């Protein structure tokens, strides 16, 4: 086994662990490392990161399903919006100024960072929404999970389902138009807009990302962007990392997960805004 293969496995391990804990897939960690640090062509980096997202999703989802952490009904319902958005985005490439889109989505992420910091500073802590909502009741979206950190069963409901649906559509649209992963937007749609607890939001986002990435992976496969010598070792590392991350996330307190999430979405938001203004290429 040569040194570059070991390096890819280690990168995958780190990306898979973080991706599974935060529900962001790991692509945003892999792409910059492969392009900036290792000088790999962006085309192959994106191809490898798409495969890693599928690997993160597969590794984490198995663990989350076993432990009843993810909400399958929410995932299937919101996946409709993401898929429609992604297809529309792919068809509308070039119809919108990418500058405007990068700035718009970048500022949205920065605003979400501010919201998350406010939640962290709040005296109430991680309040769980248990109220009634007609859409939630009709679609039977309310659920419960066992929080291993708090050692208790948590029953939760949600609200603003149409708002979350629109946000998911916009996340899919951004993904299709800009070729970016939309994991962070998915977690924000569930956690910030729909008031779903952070742990099931992250677990559900992991499942949804795999479905979205699998759809676009075929395109990357047929245009030659996926190099097995890069994607293979990365996926092995990611799969192991995602399994570790899924176990780790369940014993972490929601506040700590939020503290890790804040700098990640701040970095993503700044990167998008600077790209939009032409500072980064």
């Amino acid at each position: 086994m040569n040194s570059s293969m070991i390096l890819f496995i280690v990168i995958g391990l780190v990306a898979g662990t973080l991706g599974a804990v935060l529900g962001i897939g790991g692509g945003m960690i892999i792409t910059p490392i492969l392009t900036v640090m290792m000088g790999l062509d962006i085309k192959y980096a994106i191809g490898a990161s798409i495969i890693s997202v599928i690997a993160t999703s597969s590794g984490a989802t198995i663990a989350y399903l076993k432990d009843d952490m993810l909400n399958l009904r929410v995932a299937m319902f919101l996946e409709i919006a993401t898929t429609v958005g992604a297809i529309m985005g792919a068809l509308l490439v070039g119809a919108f100024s990418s500058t405007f889109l990068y700035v718009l989505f970048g500022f949205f992420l920065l605003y979400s960072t501010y919201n998350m910091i406010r939640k962290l500073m709040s005296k109430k802590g991680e309040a769980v929404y248990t109220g009634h909502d007609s859409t939630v009741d009709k679609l039977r979206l309310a659920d419960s999970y066992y929080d291993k950190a708090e050692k208790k069963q948590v029953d939760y409901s949600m609200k603003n389902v149409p708002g979350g649906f629109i946000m998911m559509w916009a996340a899919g649209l951004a993904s299709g138009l800009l070729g970016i992963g939309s994991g962070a937007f998915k977690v924000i749609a569930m956690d910030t807009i729909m008031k779903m607890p952070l742990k099931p939001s992250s677990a559900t986002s992991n499942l949804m990302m795999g479905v979205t990435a699998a759809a676009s992976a075929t395109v990357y496969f047929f245009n030659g962007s996926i190099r097995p010598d890069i994607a293979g070792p990365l996926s092995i590392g990611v799969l192991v990392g995602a399994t570790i991350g899924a176990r780790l996330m369940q014993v972490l307190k929601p506040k700590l997960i939020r503290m890790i999430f804040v700098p990640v979405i701040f970095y993503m938001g700044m990167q998008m805004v600077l790209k939009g203004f032409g500072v980064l290429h």
Side-chain angles (χ1 to χ4, degrees), residues 169-207:
W169 171 80
L173 193 72
S175 191
L177 279 169
L178 305 173
I180 57 168
S182 52
F185 293 107
K186 287 183 170 79
V187 177
I188 290 162
M190 290 180 271
D191 173 71
T192 309
I193 298 172
M194 290 167 63
K195 307 294 178 220
M196 194 167 149
L198 187 59
K199 285 189 175 184
S201 294
S202 171
T204 307
S205 168
N206 263 301
L207 167 66

Side-chain angles (χ1 to χ4, degrees), residues 52-272:
S52 331
V53 169
I54 299 171
T56 306
S57 178
S58 309
T61 300
I62 292 164
Y64 290 143
L65 263 175
K66 264 189 202 161
D67 296 326
D68 268 344
M69 180 64 77
L70 65 82
N71 190 322
L72 265 177
R73 280 182 172 273
V74 170
M76 292 300 104
F77 175 66
L78 294 178
E79 194 55 57
I80 299 166
T82 315
T83 309
V84 170
I87 293 166
M88 285 175 71
L91 295 173
L92 291 170
V93 170
F96 295 97
S97 150
S98 58
T99 302
F100 168 71
L101 290 167
Y102 271 119
V103 172
L104 178 73
F105 284 107
F107 275 122
F108 175 74
L109 283 179
L110 292 177
Y111 172 70
S112 301
T113 307
Y114 161 72
N115 259 343
M116 286 223 169
I117 291 169
R118 246 182 43 198
K119 258 190 190 175
L120 275 173
M121 311 290 274
S122 117
K123 300 269 189 292
K124 281 189 237 165
E126 294 284 330
V128 177
Y129 180 76
T130 51
H132 281 283
D133 180 281
S134 58
T135 317
V136 172
D137 294 342
K138 264 182 211 155
L139 297 168
R140 299 205 306 250
L141 299 177
D143 205 350
S144 68
Y145 70 97
Y146 182 74
D147 193 321
K148 289 181 181 175
E150 307 285 343
K151 293 188 171 47
K152 64 177 184 184
Q153 190 72 18
V154 179
D155 296 308
Y156 65 90
S157 184
M158 56 206 82
K159 55 182 178 180
N160 303 333
V161 176
F165 195 84
I166 291 164
M167 181 63 225
M168 285 291 182
W169 171 80
L173 193 72
S175 191
L177 279 169
L178 305 173
I180 57 168
S182 52
F185 293 107
K186 287 183 170 79
V187 177
I188 290 162
M190 290 180 271
D191 173 71
T192 309
I193 298 172
M194 290 167 63
K195 307 294 178 220
M196 194 167 149
L198 187 59
K199 285 189 175 184
S201 294
S202 171
T204 307
S205 168
N206 263 301
L207 167 66
M208 292 174 69
M209 270 182 322
V211 178
T212 315
S216 49
T218 48
V219 179
Y220 286 102
F221 178 76
F222 286 113
N223 71 16
S225 300
I226 295 168
R227 275 178 51 183
D229 59 322
I230 298 166
L234 267 176
S235 300
I236 294 166
V238 165
L239 207 52
V240 176
T243 312
I244 296 167
R247 292 268 169 264
L248 190 62
M249 186 269 254
Q250 297 186 51
V251 295
L252 293 177
K253 289 199 179 293
K255 190 170 184 176
L256 181 59
I257 299 171
R258 211 175 280 285
M259 283 165 82
I260 303 166
F261 199 71
V262 164
V264 171
I265 58 168
F266 177 73
Y267 166 74
M268 284 173 75
M270 283 306 294
Q271 206 181 27
M272 289 180 85

